[in-house]
Amino acid sequence: MTSITERDFAQRVNRHKRELHVHCYRMLGSFDEAEDLVQETFLRAWRHRDGFEGGAGFRAWLYRIATNACLDAIRRRGRRPEEVDSFAEIPWLTPYPDRLLDEVAPRADEPDAVVVARETIELGFLALIQILPARQRAVLILRDVLEFSAQETADALETSVASVNSALQRARATLGDRAPAPRSEWRGDAELTEQERELLRGFIETHERGDHAAAVKLMAEDIRVTMPPAPMVYDGIDALRPLFHTAFESGEFGDWKLLPTRVNRMPAAASYHRAAGEREYTPFKIDVLRVRDGAIAEITTFGSALFPELGLPSVL
């Protein structure tokens, strides 16, 4: 590849940009940090283009570079929770817009690309794998998510097949029953269920009209609310009552309009806020809902930084 022009090289690597971004996001748990690592991957690939002779292995070569760039970043940052009881323990966790996930799909010229299955991108999975040591996390993602062979994974990490198999075994043991099921058992459904859509509609309607009693009826008794990077955790309906008072009853917080959206293959509501005396509603937060047994079992609240990537208007 030494004779390839910079322009041709950029066109070729850009075809893989979104799936590499998703890969780095899984490794790091952060949308913005994943963007930085994709750029680092492309720079490393250009600097080391002499090491690849072209052909069908180009995608695997890029994944090798991206994985090692992520491992270097994780080592530099030195952050890994010992256990994950809630998303509050992972302050760097951010959502990933579904409209961008939909860009990752097989093409005729790239048959190895995969649809981003729900189970491999949900916030719970992203948070859970953060407890793994970096190399075990890389092995788990390459083997169980991307379906790399043991040899391909060993090549990517410059190690042996025996080491890869051992790391995968340890990673699965650490995650236990919470680890992703074999791909043959994954639903892989990118669409929300009718129940999820219905609860999202109810969440939006009750919040816009300030009806906290109706909102509570949509929630499980043991609902959990977290707000990364803030450390607060609210467990159960009773713990949420002060928030209900502030948001719904006091009248001090102004008015809300919410728009439905999707992140991490999960239902979400983008909230716009209008302060008293103002005309416009401006971006405020994203609430991501996890549905269980016909009720909202968890709400994870993020800031408004990703509104543009979600394709949402800047003002209402």
Side-chain angles (χ1 to χ4, degrees), residues 257-276:
K257 283 190 180 296
L258 285 72
L259 296 180
T261 187
R262 298 186 314 172
V263 302
N264 298 77
R265 305 304 193 202
M266 304 170 75
S271 294
Y272 291 77
H273 174 248
R274 183 180 67 179

Side-chain angles (χ1 to χ4, degrees), residues 181-202:
R183 180 173 288 276
S184 61
E185 298 178 16
W186 287 354
R187 180 176 53 185
D189 186 4
E191 298 298 323
L192 301 181
T193 66
E194 180 55 39
Q195 188 176 78
E196 287 173 324
R197 289 192 290 269
E198 182 179 346
L199 285 168
L200 178 59
R201 284 193 294 269

Side-chain angles (χ1 to χ4, degrees), residues 93-138:
L93 185 68
T94 60
Y96 203 109
D98 272 26
R99 67 192 291 263
L100 302 182
L101 292 174
D102 292 339
E103 297 176 8
V104 184
R107 302 186 300 265
D109 57 341
E110 292 292 344
D112 291 334
V114 295
V115 174
V116 181
R118 175 182 294 219
E119 288 80 357
T120 70
I121 202 70
E122 282 189 339
L123 293 175
F125 174 69
L126 267 294
L128 182 61
I129 63 174
Q130 299 299 304
I131 69 176
L132 295 174
R135 288 181 72 83
Q136 289 185 29
R137 193 185 316 169

Side-chain angles (χ1 to χ4, degrees), residues 38-91:
V38 170
Q39 298 305 317
E40 174 65 20
T41 296
F42 288 175
L43 287 173
R44 291 189 185 192
W46 174 250
R47 288 197 301 265
H48 296 94
R49 62 194 184 279
D50 297 2
F52 183 72
E53 298 177 356
F58 185 70
R59 177 175 175 269
W61 182 66
L62 288 176
Y63 268 98
R64 174 179 182 169
I65 295 172
T67 301
N68 284 283
C70 289
L71 291 174
D72 291 343
I74 292 169
R75 279 192 289 269
R76 286 194 304 269
R77 289 157 194 175
R79 61 188 188 194
R80 178 166 68 92
E82 292 297 322
E83 187 55 70
V84 175
D85 291 322
S86 78
F87 296 143
E89 296 172 66
I90 310 175

Side-chain angles (χ1 to χ4, degrees), residues 238-288:
D238 289 342
L240 289 177
R241 297 199 185 281
L243 289 182
F244 293 150
H245 175 75
T246 300
F248 295 130
E249 298 170 357
S250 68
E252 299 174 1
F253 214 71
D255 300 320
W256 297 97
K257 283 190 180 296
L258 285 72
L259 296 180
T261 187
R262 298 186 314 172
V263 302
N264 298 77
R265 305 304 193 202
M266 304 170 75
S271 294
Y272 291 77
H273 174 248
R274 183 180 67 179
E278 297 293 330
R279 294 181 55 197
E280 296 179 332
Y281 292 81
T282 56
F284 191 84
K285 63 185 174 75
I286 300 169
D287 291 310
V288 186

Side-chain angles (χ1 to χ4, degrees), residues 133-184:
R135 288 181 72 83
Q136 289 185 29
R137 193 185 316 169
V139 168
L140 183 81
I141 293 171
L142 291 173
R143 293 286 284 118
D144 282 357
V145 176
L146 296 172
E147 294 189 295
F148 276 40
S149 69
Q151 185 62 64
E152 289 170 328
T153 303
D155 292 342
L157 298 176
E158 299 180 342
T159 188
S160 67
V161 169
S163 295
V164 165
N165 290 337
S166 176
L168 182 59
Q169 185 177 16
R170 293 197 303 273
R172 288 173 174 170
T174 299
L175 301 185
D177 294 337
R178 298 174 294 178
R183 180 173 288 276
S184 61

